[in-house]
Amino acid sequence: MLTAAFPGSFDPPTLGHLNIVERAARIFDELLVVVAENRQKKYLFSAEERVALVSSLVEPWKNVSVALCDSLIVDFIKKRNIRLLLRGVRGIGDFSYEFELSMMNKALTSSIETLFMTTDPEYFVLRSSAIKELASFHGDVSTMVPPLVAKALRDKYK
Ligand code: ADP
């Protein structure tokens, strides 16, 4: 059984995240999407809201599940016997950050391997922070996020 964990803030989930989920679900037997809650970070959506959004969106994939993590990701997945950590990369900027993160995770837990999946070209501009900014000005985000998320953003910025 090949199981991978795909961690992130998902604040909110975008079509870019779902593209990674869709492609990873075809590669791995099981995929666990890990919604991270970091007390140092400020989120627009609460942990419960992010888990609810991601859970609804991954419903079509029977081998994809969702968990909330408020501790170190490497500890969290190791406890679940998952050795593969999947991260999406949009470009060099993402890669240099992700590379450093993977080095830190490797130093913390050498048995865990980080795998990078490049974005499909049509999603490379999608970034949760930019989408939130656009939504805060009531801009059209319908080509960037699923309808469920577009509605959640409208409700937040009403
Ligand atoms: P974090 O706050 O940990 O960066 P994000 O929710 O922003 O979490 O992203 C989770 C993962 O999804 C990260 O690996 C990120 O690089 C990846 N990701 C985000 N948007 C895209 C996209 N448009 N295409 C590919 N990967 C993406």
Side-chain angles (χ1 to χ4, degrees):
M1 277 286 270
L2 201 54
T3 304
F6 177 42
S9 306
F10 304 101
D11 186 40
T14 70
L15 293 179
H17 291 127
L18 285 189
N19 171 252
I20 299 287
V21 168
E22 179 181 32
R23 290 157 61 211
R26 276 191 251 126
I27 296 172
F28 302 104
D29 297 304
E30 299 282 341
L31 182 72
L32 180 65
V33 181
V34 182
V35 176
E37 173 73 348
N38 176 346
R39 271 170 241 116
Q40 317 283 352
K41 273 197 185 180
K42 274 225 171 328
Y43 300 96
L44 175 65
F45 293 95
S46 69
E48 292 68 29
E49 288 173 321
R50 287 178 284 130
V51 168
L53 287 171
V54 176
S55 300
S56 301
L57 297 173
V58 303
E59 225 168 79
W61 295 284
K62 295 296 156 240
N63 60 340
V64 180
S65 48
V66 182
L68 174 67
C69 166
D70 64 1
S71 58
L72 268 180
I73 297 285
V74 281
D75 291 345
F76 183 86
I77 69 171
K78 197 176 168 199
K79 271 195 206 124
R80 285 156 184 78
N81 288 322
I82 300 175
R83 290 183 46 233
L84 300 178
L85 222 162
L86 178 68
R87 296 288 284 175
V89 279
R90 281 160 291 205
I92 292 293
D94 271 358
F95 184 72
S96 60
Y97 168 75
E98 294 293 342
F99 182 81
E100 278 184 24
L101 200 63
S102 74
M103 290 298 119
M104 193 155 66
N105 284 333
K106 192 78 187 181
L108 286 170
T109 314
S110 63
S111 60
I112 290 178
E113 301 292 350
T114 301
L115 301 178
F116 301 111
M117 186 181 266
T118 53
T119 183
D120 269 346
E122 61 266 49
Y123 303 104
F124 98 103
V125 291
L126 299 186
R127 192 170 294 276
S128 296
S129 54
I131 291 171
K132 280 184 282 192
E133 199 173 332
L134 183 58
S136 75
F137 293 111
H138 304 119
D140 181 12
V141 295
S142 61
T143 58
M144 304 171 190
V145 294
L148 181 72
V149 175
K151 184 184 179 308
L153 282 166
R154 274 198 303 278
D155 291 345
K156 279 280 174 203
Y157 291 115
K158 240 195 314 244

